[in-house]
Amino acid sequence: MAQKTAESIQCTDRLGSSTVNHVIIEFVMYCGRAVFICYPVYLLGYLGINISWVLLCVFMLTYWKKNRQWKVARITSAIELVDNEKRAIKTELRSALPMASWVQFSDVEKVHWLNKVLKQAWPFFGTYMEKLLRENIQQSIRFSSPSLKTFTFTKIHFGRIPLKITGIRAYTHEVEHREVILDMNISYDGDVDIRADVNSAMTAGVKGVKLHGMMRVILEPLIGQTPLVGGVTFFFIRRPTLKINWTGMTNLLSSPAFSSLSDETIMNIIASFIVLPNRMCIPLIDQVKMEQMRFPLPRGVVRVHLLEARDLLAMDTYVMGLVKGKSDPYATLRVGNIHFKSKTVKKNLHPRWNEVYEFVVHEAPGQELEVGLYDEDVDKDDFLGSYNLDLGEVKSEKQMDQWFPLEDVPHGEVHLKLQWFSLQTDTSLLQESNDDFACAILAVYLDNATDLPNSDHQRFRKNSKEAQITKRATFPNSFVEFSIDSNVQKSKVVYASKDPVWEEGFTFFVRDVNVQQLFVQVKEPEKKNPLGVLNLLLSRLLNTSDLTLDEYFLLEHSGANSQIKLKATLRILKLEEPPPKTFINPSSEVKQQQARKAGNTSVSSPSDAPSSSHTVSSNNTPGPSTPNQETASPNQGYLAQGRGSFQASKKRKSSANVRRFTSHSLLSQNSITSSSFDPSDEFLFPDAIRNHRGSFGEIELNVRYVTLKHKLIVFIIRCRNLFPCSENGTDSYVRLYLLPDQTWKHRKKTHVKKRMINPVFNEKFEFDVLLQEAQNRKLDVSVKNNSILVSLERKDIGSVIIDLSEMDLVKGVTAWYDLTLPEMRNSM
């Protein structure tokens, strides 16, 4: 007993006072909630009040709460409609109707002519599919199981409703010159009718199929002779959505208990054939190698660090939803047909996972990282939000470490760190992994096998010669199992063939090339003894040309001439570093401000610019000079909407001094940074700022344009050396405008970072604007002090205007910008 007491005391000391205090506070809060809930029930029983009154009160309170939420939702929708009518209508239409992709994306084209061709050719497509199902699929089903030997299709009709292509996007400039990539949005809601007799007592069938997804078609290589294209490859980048209406005995699969299970099973089968990394290929000339079309080398590898989430929804509630609890969140990550699930963090709205996952990327841009957050429950997990990230952004950025807002929920963010690894053949880059991460990948293309032993070879190998002669040999049903340590992958089954052809590709992560080996087994379904085995040391690939082996390998424990043809390719992973960050030299902007003060509106000479190749200027190309442009216009500017009345209340200011800005003047170089005040407004600044003669600080931004989403992305990274507005630092936030839009509904701002002079924001903002339009706009960035007290003093700490026409928005720019107050500089 004394020993246990001593251990408990030692354990308590190990916990620490802060942990003990936290546990005590949680326990007290739990007891308080229990008393708060149970005491009214006890009081009602003590007073002898009927329990029906309690139920009535709870019902009325619940009804009031739901009604209140409904009213708030209506008011919010109305406000959103007033603020941005176009976006609100588009969102409602998108949620209510299956909008065509060409409505949502300007670079997606309508293809009415192609749909007319499909409608005309649909009956002939049905004839082809009927022949395929009866001659190929029916035989494969019969060979798959002894209980399906009598399986027969009795009716095959693909209906009159053809497949529709709702939009098509062509890539020609973003790809190699010898290929063309087409993304086709497919929608099929057909009246297909297929019936089959499983056996004499069971029938099965399908009547109606819905399929929606985006299929990528690659035409490569382009050649200088007929048919101009060497081959056609098509596949789904992401898993399509599928809904099947079953008939016959399989009608049970349409019930709510089995519908999701059955559709998911069928979807997995489809994904094994036509969802990345699996492809369907049609060679059009003999010179095209099938393995290069069906299984090209991946584009790279992305390593995803699932770090944490914050501000998640509280889905666990008590007392009929009156008392909110927390959630038990976990995350799912999917790229194509590969998906992972994280651990579950119990009762936490700010969970930390710190888990790492690796994905092989075959198409970038195109493939997306799909992150979903769920609350784990006993019956059905609740949805907490999702976010899809195009891996083309990771490929261009090389490394990303930021918070991503969760979609389809009111609030919530997830913190991800992503790293892009390119594939190299330089063995000097090979390093042994010490942190259980991959240092290389192995791509294996399984072609075929020849002269496999008969199905009864293993069984009767030790029997008498007479028994071998009398026993009729059958060709084996075979598949191949690959394994590297605990990573096991299997091919499809080829039925009744001693020379099976698979034509499938597999990828493996390698952690130690010198030690690990690829173990290959040719097996029969539901049988233990393999038809042949092969051990391939990965270190053997280091001494080959292009780190590739492409040959026939003899199988061990098999027939005398049994061989398997493999192509094994090793590639070394190299972590790509992000492009070097550029820094702003503030001297150029100061010189321009002084030049404008003197009335000089010409462009600064190249000699004034800094000589370093790593510096960019935020204002190097002034727009047209408009110093006298003060005529009235319908758009009275930001001052008239936001600060007109405020400025008019200042007795020491004359209303004649207030400047009115049009869209043209706001985009010109003569516009004042971050506000529309007259330069004489320096008296509105606090005395500390007006008396300050040094730097007001710097801000680091990342600005890029995502062509696939048609959005301008501005990532506020951090600030440094901000002007301290108090002894404890500065309560700062960043405000953005994409000029000339300076109304309240166009304003974007970060969260407030309290008591810091080097705040880190890591917040992303998106602007819906076309690339051509974004290249003619300017970004107004202002760092402000979040003053709680109502004051007439200006809240600006510093600001900068960034001319987007001087940037390569597609590649993106990350740079430090010097914060200035032109109003103060002009008055000095």
Side-chain angles (χ1 to χ4, degrees), residues 303-314:
R303 183 174 294 166
V304 182
H305 298 255
L306 176 63
L307 301 179
E308 57 184 327
R310 65 186 179 190
D311 198 21
L312 299 181
L313 294 177

Side-chain angles (χ1 to χ4, degrees), residues 653-782:
K653 296 293 179 182
S654 171
S655 59
N657 293 331
V658 179
R659 297 174 60 185
R660 307 288 184 178
F661 287 88
T662 63
S663 299
H664 180 74
S665 64
L666 281 171
L667 284 176
S668 68
Q669 192 69 14
N670 296 306
S671 302
I672 299 176
T673 313
S674 78
S675 69
S676 302
F677 281 92
D678 190 83
S680 59
D681 287 346
E682 80 274 0
F683 294 105
L684 291 177
F685 288 101
D687 294 338
I689 292 183
R690 286 192 285 111
N691 297 329
H692 182 67
R693 292 297 180 265
S695 172
F696 291 97
E698 295 174 291
I699 184 171
E700 186 181 14
L701 304 175
N702 173 267
V703 183
R704 67 182 186 278
Y705 190 86
V706 181
T707 55
L708 294 179
K709 294 184 177 181
H710 301 285
K711 292 180 182 292
L712 177 68
I713 307 297
V714 180
F715 190 65
I716 309 295
I717 303 176
R718 54 180 172 168
C719 296
R720 65 184 180 189
N721 301 327
L722 291 181
F723 176 80
C725 297
S726 65
E727 297 179 355
N728 298 324
T730 300
D731 297 343
S732 58
Y733 67 93
V734 182
R735 190 267 299 134
L736 295 176
Y737 285 122
L738 185 61
L739 300 179
D741 299 328
Q742 279 193 309
T743 58
W744 287 104
K745 65 181 181 180
H746 295 107
R747 183 181 68 169
K748 299 182 183 296
K749 57 181 293 188
T750 66
H751 293 89
V752 178
K753 300 297 180 180
K754 294 183 177 294
R755 301 178 181 180
M756 294 183 182
I757 60 173
N758 298 305
V760 177
F761 296 98
N762 285 333
E763 296 189 35
K764 183 176 71 172
F765 299 95
E766 299 179 351
F767 296 90
D768 293 323
V769 61
L770 296 177
L771 178 59
Q772 295 79 4
E773 184 181 354
Q775 291 172 341
N776 297 321
R777 305 283 285 271
K778 293 187 179 183
L779 189 66
D780 183 359
V781 184
S782 179

Side-chain angles (χ1 to χ4, degrees), residues 434-641:
N434 297 323
D435 46 10
D436 202 32
F437 295 152
C439 63
I441 67 166
L442 177 69
V444 180
Y445 179 75
L446 171 62
D447 194 340
N448 62 80
T450 59
D451 200 19
L452 291 180
N454 294 329
S455 179
D456 299 312
H457 171 78
Q458 299 290 341
R459 184 182 304 172
F460 298 99
R461 182 169 49 189
K462 297 182 180 180
N463 289 2
S464 62
K465 184 177 181 180
E466 291 79 11
Q468 297 183 26
I469 295 175
T470 57
K471 182 68 178 179
R472 185 176 62 89
T474 58
F475 294 143
N477 304 328
S478 58
F479 69 95
V480 180
E481 180 181 283
F482 297 93
S483 61
I484 296 181
D485 295 337
S486 60
N487 188 1
V488 179
Q489 301 185 37
K490 298 179 181 179
S491 72
K492 65 182 179 182
V493 178
V494 177
Y495 297 97
S497 176
K498 70 172 184 177
D499 300 317
V501 178
W502 292 282
E503 294 183 341
E504 290 186 76
F506 307 88
T507 54
F508 297 87
F509 287 106
V510 180
R511 288 164 177 78
D512 192 345
V513 178
N514 297 316
V515 175
Q516 291 181 299
Q517 61 181 355
L518 177 66
F519 186 50
V520 184
Q521 298 183 82
V522 183
K523 290 185 174 183
E524 290 184 276
E526 301 180 357
K527 292 186 179 181
K528 295 182 179 180
N529 295 326
L531 298 174
V533 297
L534 170 67
N535 283 326
L536 179 62
L537 295 175
L538 300 186
S539 58
R540 180 179 171 184
L541 294 168
L542 298 177
N543 301 322
T544 60
S545 175
D546 198 33
L547 304 182
T548 302
L549 278 175
D550 187 4
E551 59 185 70
Y552 279 95
F553 297 88
L554 283 174
L555 292 172
E556 301 177 0
H557 307 295
S558 185
N561 299 319
S562 298
Q563 293 180 317
I564 186 171
K565 186 179 182 182
L566 301 175
K567 181 180 180 181
T569 303
L570 186 70
R571 286 294 181 266
I572 313 302
L573 299 184
K574 178 187 176 183
L575 177 61
E576 294 293 328
E577 297 295 334
K581 297 181 179 181
T582 54
F583 296 89
I584 293 296
N585 190 335
S587 60
S588 176
E589 183 180 356
V590 174
K591 291 179 180 180
Q592 290 179 5
Q593 297 287 350
Q594 293 175 350
R596 288 197 300 273
K597 181 179 178 181
N600 182 12
T601 60
S602 61
V603 180
S604 58
S605 62
S607 61
D608 295 335
S611 60
S612 173
S613 61
H614 294 288
T615 58
V616 296
S617 175
S618 59
N619 293 315
N620 284 342
T621 310
S625 176
T626 57
N628 299 321
Q629 186 176 357
E630 299 184 8
T631 60
S633 65
N635 179 16
Q636 294 300 324
Y638 165 68
L639 178 61
Q641 298 182 22

